[in-house]
PDB file of all heavy atoms in Angstrom:
ATOM      1  N   LYS F  29     198.310 -38.047  43.004  1.00 98.00           N
ATOM      2  CA  LYS F  29     199.563 -38.858  42.803  1.00 98.00           C
ATOM      3  C   LYS F  29     200.536 -38.270  41.864  1.00 98.00           C
ATOM      4  O   LYS F  29     201.741 -38.450  42.076  1.00 98.00           O
ATOM      5  CB  LYS F  29     199.182 -40.219  42.340  1.00 98.00           C
ATOM      6  CG  LYS F  29     198.678 -41.229  43.423  1.00 98.00           C
ATOM      7  CD  LYS F  29     198.348 -42.584  42.805  1.00 98.00           C
ATOM      8  CE  LYS F  29     197.453 -43.351  43.694  1.00 98.00           C
ATOM      9  NZ  LYS F  29     196.899 -44.575  43.124  1.00 98.00           N
ATOM     10  N   GLU F  34     207.355 -28.829  44.418  1.00 98.00           N
ATOM     11  CA  GLU F  34     208.768 -28.567  44.581  1.00 98.00           C
ATOM     12  C   GLU F  34     208.981 -27.988  45.979  1.00 98.00           C
ATOM     13  O   GLU F  34     208.282 -27.139  46.437  1.00 98.00           O
ATOM     14  CB  GLU F  34     209.241 -27.580  43.505  1.00 98.00           C
ATOM     15  CG  GLU F  34     210.740 -27.335  43.464  1.00 98.00           C
ATOM     16  CD  GLU F  34     211.172 -26.692  42.132  1.00 98.00           C
ATOM     17  OE1 GLU F  34     211.178 -27.416  41.134  1.00 98.00           O
ATOM     18  OE2 GLU F  34     211.495 -25.518  42.131  1.00 98.00           O
ATOM     19  N   ARG F  46     214.542 -10.199  60.974  1.00 88.00           N
ATOM     20  CA  ARG F  46     215.691  -9.316  61.090  1.00 88.00           C
ATOM     21  C   ARG F  46     216.082  -9.119  62.529  1.00 88.00           C
ATOM     22  O   ARG F  46     217.077  -8.518  62.882  1.00 88.00           O
ATOM     23  CB  ARG F  46     215.449  -7.969  60.394  1.00 88.00           C
ATOM     24  CG  ARG F  46     214.226  -7.177  60.921  1.00 88.00           C
ATOM     25  CD  ARG F  46     213.736  -6.160  59.999  1.00 88.00           C
ATOM     26  NE  ARG F  46     212.518  -5.586  60.358  1.00 88.00           N
ATOM     27  CZ  ARG F  46     212.353  -4.497  61.031  1.00 88.00           C
ATOM     28  NH1 ARG F  46     213.445  -3.788  61.412  1.00 88.00           N
ATOM     29  NH2 ARG F  46     211.185  -4.000  61.370  1.00 88.00           N
ATOM     30  N   PHE F  47     215.258  -9.658  63.433  1.00 92.00           N
ATOM     31  CA  PHE F  47     215.530  -9.514  64.880  1.00 92.00           C
ATOM     32  C   PHE F  47     216.393 -10.624  65.384  1.00 92.00           C
ATOM     33  O   PHE F  47     217.310 -10.409  66.195  1.00 92.00           O
ATOM     34  CB  PHE F  47     214.221  -9.419  65.702  1.00 92.00           C
ATOM     35  CG  PHE F  47     213.347  -8.192  65.301  1.00 92.00           C
ATOM     36  CD1 PHE F  47     212.339  -8.328  64.457  1.00 92.00           C
ATOM     37  CD2 PHE F  47     213.797  -6.947  65.693  1.00 92.00           C
ATOM     38  CE1 PHE F  47     211.580  -7.269  64.070  1.00 92.00           C
ATOM     39  CE2 PHE F  47     213.062  -5.799  65.307  1.00 92.00           C
ATOM     40  CZ  PHE F  47     211.951  -5.979  64.493  1.00 92.00           C
ATOM     41  N   LYS F  48     216.106 -11.903  64.893  1.00 92.00           N
ATOM     42  CA  LYS F  48     216.841 -13.027  65.446  1.00 92.00           C
ATOM     43  C   LYS F  48     216.741 -14.296  64.477  1.00 92.00           C
ATOM     44  O   LYS F  48     215.602 -14.541  63.966  1.00 92.00           O
ATOM     45  CB  LYS F  48     216.271 -13.361  66.767  1.00 92.00           C
ATOM     46  CG  LYS F  48     216.774 -14.702  67.406  1.00 92.00           C
ATOM     47  CD  LYS F  48     218.255 -14.593  67.880  1.00 92.00           C
ATOM     48  CE  LYS F  48     218.732 -15.892  68.445  1.00 92.00           C
ATOM     49  NZ  LYS F  48     220.181 -15.977  68.505  1.00 92.00           N
ATOM     50  N   TYR F  91     228.167 -28.976  39.438  1.00 97.00           N
ATOM     51  CA  TYR F  91     226.684 -29.127  39.389  1.00 97.00           C
ATOM     52  C   TYR F  91     226.292 -30.450  38.806  1.00 97.00           C
ATOM     53  O   TYR F  91     225.187 -30.967  39.209  1.00 97.00           O
ATOM     54  CB  TYR F  91     226.015 -27.947  38.585  1.00 97.00           C
ATOM     55  CG  TYR F  91     226.244 -26.593  39.365  1.00 97.00           C
ATOM     56  CD1 TYR F  91     227.166 -25.729  39.110  1.00 97.00           C
ATOM     57  CD2 TYR F  91     225.307 -26.279  40.386  1.00 97.00           C
ATOM     58  CE1 TYR F  91     227.315 -24.606  39.858  1.00 97.00           C
ATOM     59  CE2 TYR F  91     225.375 -25.173  41.120  1.00 97.00           C
ATOM     60  CZ  TYR F  91     226.474 -24.272  40.812  1.00 97.00           C
ATOM     61  OH  TYR F  91     226.511 -23.192  41.544  1.00 97.00           O
ATOM     62  N   THR F 107     213.795 -25.414  40.065  1.00 98.00           N
ATOM     63  CA  THR F 107     213.944 -23.991  39.748  1.00 98.00           C
ATOM     64  C   THR F 107     215.234 -23.367  40.352  1.00 98.00           C
ATOM     65  O   THR F 107     215.622 -23.626  41.440  1.00 98.00           O
ATOM     66  CB  THR F 107     212.679 -23.314  40.357  1.00 98.00           C
ATOM     67  OG1 THR F 107     211.542 -23.949  40.030  1.00 98.00           O
ATOM     68  CG2 THR F 107     212.628 -21.839  40.000  1.00 98.00           C
ATOM     69  N   ASN F 109     216.620 -20.024  41.671  1.00 98.00           N
ATOM     70  CA  ASN F 109     216.217 -18.744  42.152  1.00 98.00           C
ATOM     71  C   ASN F 109     217.333 -17.783  42.232  1.00 98.00           C
ATOM     72  O   ASN F 109     218.458 -18.173  42.806  1.00 98.00           O
ATOM     73  CB  ASN F 109     215.647 -18.829  43.526  1.00 98.00           C
ATOM     74  CG  ASN F 109     214.304 -19.529  43.559  1.00 98.00           C
ATOM     75  OD1 ASN F 109     213.217 -18.914  43.799  1.00 98.00           O
ATOM     76  ND2 ASN F 109     214.244 -20.822  43.350  1.00 98.00           N
ATOM     77  N   GLY F 121     219.271  -0.903  44.501  1.00 98.00           N
ATOM     78  CA  GLY F 121     218.661  -1.799  43.562  1.00 98.00           C
ATOM     79  C   GLY F 121     219.707  -2.559  42.687  1.00 98.00           C
ATOM     80  O   GLY F 121     220.819  -2.383  42.832  1.00 98.00           O
ATOM     81  N   PRO F 189     215.570 -23.091  24.459  1.00 97.00           N
ATOM     82  CA  PRO F 189     214.159 -23.196  23.933  1.00 97.00           C
ATOM     83  C   PRO F 189     213.208 -23.758  25.024  1.00 97.00           C
ATOM     84  O   PRO F 189     212.001 -23.377  24.907  1.00 97.00           O
ATOM     85  CB  PRO F 189     214.365 -24.222  22.827  1.00 97.00           C
ATOM     86  CG  PRO F 189     215.808 -24.716  22.828  1.00 97.00           C
ATOM     87  CD  PRO F 189     216.521 -23.804  23.692  1.00 97.00           C
ATOM     88  N   LEU F 254     200.186 -17.771  33.930  1.00 98.00           N
ATOM     89  CA  LEU F 254     200.504 -18.194  35.272  1.00 98.00           C
ATOM     90  C   LEU F 254     201.565 -19.277  35.205  1.00 98.00           C
ATOM     91  O   LEU F 254     201.244 -20.422  34.749  1.00 98.00           O
ATOM     92  CB  LEU F 254     199.325 -18.671  36.105  1.00 98.00           C
ATOM     93  CG  LEU F 254     199.598 -19.143  37.546  1.00 98.00           C
ATOM     94  CD1 LEU F 254     200.207 -18.028  38.389  1.00 98.00           C
ATOM     95  CD2 LEU F 254     198.390 -19.491  38.225  1.00 98.00           C
ATOM     96  N   PHE F 263     200.134 -13.708  57.818  1.00 95.00           N
ATOM     97  CA  PHE F 263     199.122 -12.971  58.545  1.00 95.00           C
ATOM     98  C   PHE F 263     199.168 -11.528  58.308  1.00 95.00           C
ATOM     99  O   PHE F 263     198.204 -10.821  58.275  1.00 95.00           O
ATOM    100  CB  PHE F 263     199.245 -13.320  60.050  1.00 95.00           C
ATOM    101  CG  PHE F 263     198.865 -14.735  60.408  1.00 95.00           C
ATOM    102  CD1 PHE F 263     199.715 -15.718  60.446  1.00 95.00           C
ATOM    103  CD2 PHE F 263     197.474 -15.030  60.611  1.00 95.00           C
ATOM    104  CE1 PHE F 263     199.327 -17.043  60.746  1.00 95.00           C
ATOM    105  CE2 PHE F 263     197.043 -16.352  60.959  1.00 95.00           C
ATOM    106  CZ  PHE F 263     198.014 -17.352  61.062  1.00 95.00           C
ATOM    107  N   VAL F 271     202.255 -22.979  54.296  1.00 98.00           N
ATOM    108  CA  VAL F 271     201.095 -22.706  53.453  1.00 98.00           C
ATOM    109  C   VAL F 271     199.814 -23.437  53.927  1.00 98.00           C
ATOM    110  O   VAL F 271     199.798 -24.486  54.552  1.00 98.00           O
ATOM    111  CB  VAL F 271     201.406 -23.352  51.970  1.00 98.00           C
ATOM    112  CG1 VAL F 271     201.788 -24.832  52.106  1.00 98.00           C
ATOM    113  CG2 VAL F 271     200.284 -23.176  50.970  1.00 98.00           C
ATOM    114  N   ASP F 303     207.627 -21.889  49.045  1.00 98.00           N
ATOM    115  CA  ASP F 303     208.639 -20.907  49.335  1.00 98.00           C
ATOM    116  C   ASP F 303     208.510 -20.451  50.850  1.00 98.00           C
ATOM    117  O   ASP F 303     207.752 -19.583  51.161  1.00 98.00           O
ATOM    118  CB  ASP F 303     208.423 -19.669  48.478  1.00 98.00           C
ATOM    119  CG  ASP F 303     209.379 -18.491  48.848  1.00 98.00           C
ATOM    120  OD1 ASP F 303     210.467 -18.735  49.471  1.00 98.00           O
ATOM    121  OD2 ASP F 303     209.108 -17.348  48.406  1.00 98.00           O
ATOM    122  N   ILE F 308     210.612 -21.218  63.767  1.00 96.00           N
ATOM    123  CA  ILE F 308     210.520 -21.766  65.198  1.00 96.00           C
ATOM    124  C   ILE F 308     210.083 -23.194  65.206  1.00 96.00           C
ATOM    125  O   ILE F 308     210.182 -23.839  66.296  1.00 96.00           O
ATOM    126  CB  ILE F 308     209.497 -20.897  66.034  1.00 96.00           C
ATOM    127  CG1 ILE F 308     208.113 -20.863  65.377  1.00 96.00           C
ATOM    128  CG2 ILE F 308     210.121 -19.462  66.165  1.00 96.00           C
ATOM    129  CD1 ILE F 308     207.078 -20.233  66.299  1.00 96.00           C
ATOM    130  N   LYS F 338     177.931 -25.072  38.093  1.00 98.00           N
ATOM    131  CA  LYS F 338     177.530 -24.285  36.865  1.00 98.00           C
ATOM    132  C   LYS F 338     175.974 -24.142  36.834  1.00 98.00           C
ATOM    133  O   LYS F 338     175.511 -23.040  36.539  1.00 98.00           O
ATOM    134  CB  LYS F 338     178.100 -25.070  35.646  1.00 98.00           C
ATOM    135  CG  LYS F 338     177.797 -24.421  34.319  1.00 98.00           C
ATOM    136  CD  LYS F 338     178.372 -23.081  34.213  1.00 98.00           C
ATOM    137  CE  LYS F 338     179.899 -23.030  34.039  1.00 98.00           C
ATOM    138  NZ  LYS F 338     180.419 -21.774  34.211  1.00 98.00           N
ATOM    139  N   GLU F 343     171.464 -20.582  37.040  1.00 98.00           N
ATOM    140  CA  GLU F 343     170.124 -20.330  37.554  1.00 98.00           C
ATOM    141  C   GLU F 343     170.089 -19.085  38.432  1.00 98.00           C
ATOM    142  O   GLU F 343     168.996 -18.631  38.970  1.00 98.00           O
ATOM    143  CB  GLU F 343     169.581 -21.519  38.240  1.00 98.00           C
ATOM    144  CG  GLU F 343     169.279 -22.641  37.409  1.00 98.00           C
ATOM    145  CD  GLU F 343     168.966 -23.970  38.126  1.00 98.00           C
ATOM    146  OE1 GLU F 343     169.161 -23.971  39.385  1.00 98.00           O
ATOM    147  OE2 GLU F 343     168.561 -24.935  37.472  1.00 98.00           O
ATOM    148  N   ILE F 391     220.464 -36.782  62.235  1.00 98.00           N
ATOM    149  CA  ILE F 391     221.144 -35.591  61.661  1.00 98.00           C
ATOM    150  C   ILE F 391     221.650 -34.727  62.800  1.00 98.00           C
ATOM    151  O   ILE F 391     222.642 -34.121  62.685  1.00 98.00           O
ATOM    152  CB  ILE F 391     220.391 -34.827  60.612  1.00 98.00           C
ATOM    153  CG1 ILE F 391     218.945 -34.463  61.090  1.00 98.00           C
ATOM    154  CG2 ILE F 391     220.312 -35.567  59.258  1.00 98.00           C
ATOM    155  CD1 ILE F 391     218.227 -33.498  60.090  1.00 98.00           C
ATOM    156  N   ALA F 399     229.784 -24.895  59.639  1.00 91.00           N
ATOM    157  CA  ALA F 399     228.794 -23.718  59.847  1.00 91.00           C
ATOM    158  C   ALA F 399     227.489 -24.182  59.183  1.00 91.00           C
ATOM    159  O   ALA F 399     227.360 -24.741  58.149  1.00 91.00           O
ATOM    160  CB  ALA F 399     229.378 -22.603  58.969  1.00 91.00           C
TER     161      ALA F 399
END
Side-chain angles (χ1 to χ4, degrees):
K29 276 180 199 169
E34 187 165 287
R46 63 199 167 94
F47 300 102
K48 171 73 181 162
Y91 288 98
T107 307
N109 289 253
L254 179 58
F263 287 94
V271 56
D303 174 18
I308 58 167
K338 180 59 73 193
E343 286 169 356
I391 54 175

